[in-house]
Amino acid sequence: MEHNAQQAQKEDIMAQNTQHSKASSSRRSFLRKGVAVAGAGTIGAALLAGGVPAFAKERSDGLTSGDVAILRFLAAIEILETDLWRQYNELGGIQDSEVPGGSGSAKYTAALQVLDGDMPQYIHDNTEDEISHFTFINAYLASKGANPVNLDQFRTLPSSKATGAQQIGRLTNLMQLTVDTSWWTRYRSRTKNPDFGDTFAQAIPGLSTGQFPAIPRHDGDLAPKDHIQAIANTAGFHFGFIEQGGTSLYPSLAQGVTNLEVLRILLSIGPTETAHFQTWHDKAGNAPALTDPTNGLVFPDLNAAPFGGEDFQTNLIMPEPTVFLSRTFPAVSIIRPTQIAGSGGAVGTVKAWTADGLFIGQSREFLAVLNQLAEAADAARRG
Ligand SMILES: [Fe+2]
């Protein structure tokens, strides 16, 4: 189905190129570059061309070019989320007709279940939700005469070699992560907000430097016990990192939406990312304190000194009231950040995911396509 969408997209782009002779010089230059590298490059250029505002305005019934740009970026993000969640599900979730692929890794699954006995179910359900998000957004875009997003040409990264994983090309890399765990303290602070430029301490300082796998890379990663547990713990904090990103992204982008139905889409999907985040926030706190004997990665006891207290205590999983809009207002429990085009916006999300290591091994063209989609989404303004 995705392949057909891609073919349709290519044909549509060819038609646009004939119809719209006033395309910008930068677009033309990119198209030429894309054609010059041939094959994958051509499709990459097509993806970018689909985001051209003039086209969207002319073709997309009732939607502004900004609305289309926002939906296209969200479709891309949901495709990427689906790709990474599928990798988790193949090894540590439930493989069934709703989320097919893979056959599970018993030792990795058991380590995840130390965080919660229901982890495989939650991983499965988060994966299914992401599949439904990109499928819906792409179908909606198509229904409005706008181009759906297809990233299949970039499925070039290797799969885990661990027993249980499918051997197929991936969009994201879960085996060299540098996980920013400052979302943990950000949601516990009563006085700080990233929209004011505030910064936050890491819950797991070791994870924020170096590169660590969040899935077993091969069966050799299944032992010793504290090593596979460290991999599961890394996954536990990575789940929270990914879903807090979606939690900020939707309200940030919603402020640039013009069409009421598109706003309804963002306001209806966004909070499901928050539901995921809330779940993962709770589970990450159950990651056992340990030191990985193979690489020295430390998961501290977050309830003991020098951690502990309001910034780290593991059962404080609901968003602490904090400063919002102006420091003169009373503190309020909110999603943070949400500033339009801010650190939780589209470009901010791509930057954060790049720093996370998710795109290690990806082509420059992939990053160019993703950044172009992000910049267009952040540029959208309510009209
Ligand atoms: Fe999603």
Side-chain angles (χ1 to χ4, degrees):
M1 201 170 85
E2 279 188 49
H3 181 76
N4 291 340
Q6 192 176 66
Q7 191 56 40
Q9 183 182 57
K10 282 165 71 180
E11 287 165 8
D12 201 12
I13 292 301
M14 288 170 71
Q16 283 172 54
N17 290 344
T18 318
Q19 287 165 16
H20 300 285
S21 56
K22 290 180 185 169
S24 74
S25 59
S26 63
R27 175 187 160 195
R28 284 190 179 284
S29 139
F30 193 94
L31 281 169
R32 275 199 303 272
K33 251 187 265 172
V35 170
V37 297
T42 311
I43 307 170
L47 269 166
L48 287 188
V52 170
F55 158 68
K57 209 154 210 166
E58 289 166 31
R59 290 279 303 274
S60 303
D61 168 36
L63 272 55
T64 68
S65 56
D67 293 338
V68 171
I70 286 170
L71 289 171
R72 296 192 85 238
F73 179 71
L74 289 172
I77 280 293
E78 298 291 357
I79 288 169
L80 294 170
E81 280 193 305
T82 296
D83 181 81
L84 72 90
W85 276 110
R86 276 191 186 281
Q87 294 183 65
Y88 282 126
N89 195 69
E90 288 174 20
L91 290 166
I94 295 171
Q95 306 84 35
D96 62 9
S97 61
E98 290 172 345
V99 187
S103 52
S105 165
K107 286 186 177 167
Y108 178 57
T109 304
L112 286 164
Q113 285 179 308
V114 171
L115 278 62
D116 189 299
D118 286 324
M119 288 292 267
Q121 186 69 55
Y122 299 153
I123 290 169
H124 168 279
D125 290 357
N126 204 140
T127 311
E128 186 189 12
D129 291 358
E130 309 305 2
I131 294 169
S132 77
H133 288 166
F134 92 75
T135 304
F136 178 89
I137 295 171
N138 266 346
Y140 184 79
L141 280 165
S143 80
K144 298 296 177 184
N147 283 331
V149 175
N150 185 315
L151 300 176
D152 283 353
Q153 59 159 312
F154 299 115
R155 294 185 190 279
T156 57
L157 299 182
S159 294
S160 162
K161 298 292 181 286
T163 304
Q166 287 193 96
Q167 294 306 308
I168 57 174
R170 311 287 182 172
L171 293 167
T172 60
N173 183 343
L174 294 177
M175 295 180 275
Q176 293 172 268
L177 296 181
T178 305
V179 184
D180 180 350
T181 56
S182 64
W183 54 267
W184 182 274
T185 54
R186 189 199 321 146
Y187 271 97
R188 286 168 168 72
S189 173
R190 298 183 67 87
T191 56
K192 299 206 284 185
N193 183 327
D195 285 337
F196 287 75
D198 295 328
T199 56
F200 302 85
Q202 295 289 332
I204 313 295
L207 267 184
S208 67
T209 56
Q211 295 184 348
F212 303 97
I215 51 175
R217 296 162 292 189
H218 41 70
D219 288 343
D221 269 337
L222 300 176
K225 196 164 176 286
D226 276 355
H227 177 56
I228 188 62
Q229 189 62 54
I231 292 174
N233 286 5
T234 300
F237 277 90
H238 192 238
F239 297 167
F241 166 79
I242 290 295
E243 300 301 317
Q244 62 79 33
T247 293
S248 279
L249 180 63
Y250 276 84
S252 299
L253 291 181
Q255 296 165 73
V257 168
T258 299
N259 180 279
L260 194 56
E261 190 170 71
V262 175
L263 183 61
R264 182 179 176 192
I265 292 171
L266 267 70
L267 294 181
S268 302
I269 292 179
T272 69
E273 305 285 342
T274 310
H276 300 156
F277 171 49
Q278 180 72 11
T279 303
W280 300 127
H281 196 167
D282 186 38
K283 304 316 160 198
N286 298 332
L290 58 80
T291 300
D292 185 332
T294 71
N295 56 24
L297 174 62
V298 174
F299 285 86
D301 179 350
L302 294 173
N303 293 311
F307 299 93
E310 278 219 321
D311 283 353
F312 294 98
Q313 190 180 311
T314 55
N315 62 358
L316 298 181
I317 60 166
M318 300 194 188
E320 196 73 21
T322 196
V323 58
F324 184 47
L325 300 179
S326 162
R327 293 191 191 273
T328 62
F329 286 127
V332 58
S333 178
I334 44 150
I335 297 308
R336 64 204 79 167
T338 56
Q339 193 168 25
I340 191 165
S343 60
V347 170
T349 299
V350 173
K351 275 187 189 163
W353 284 22
T354 304
D356 186 55
L358 277 174
F359 305 139
I360 290 176
Q362 268 291 3
S363 63
R364 288 172 68 178
E365 192 193 1
F366 167 83
L367 289 170
V369 166
L370 196 57
N371 277 307
Q372 174 76 16
L373 289 166
E375 284 165 17
D378 274 347
R381 290 296 177 271
R382 184 171 150 75

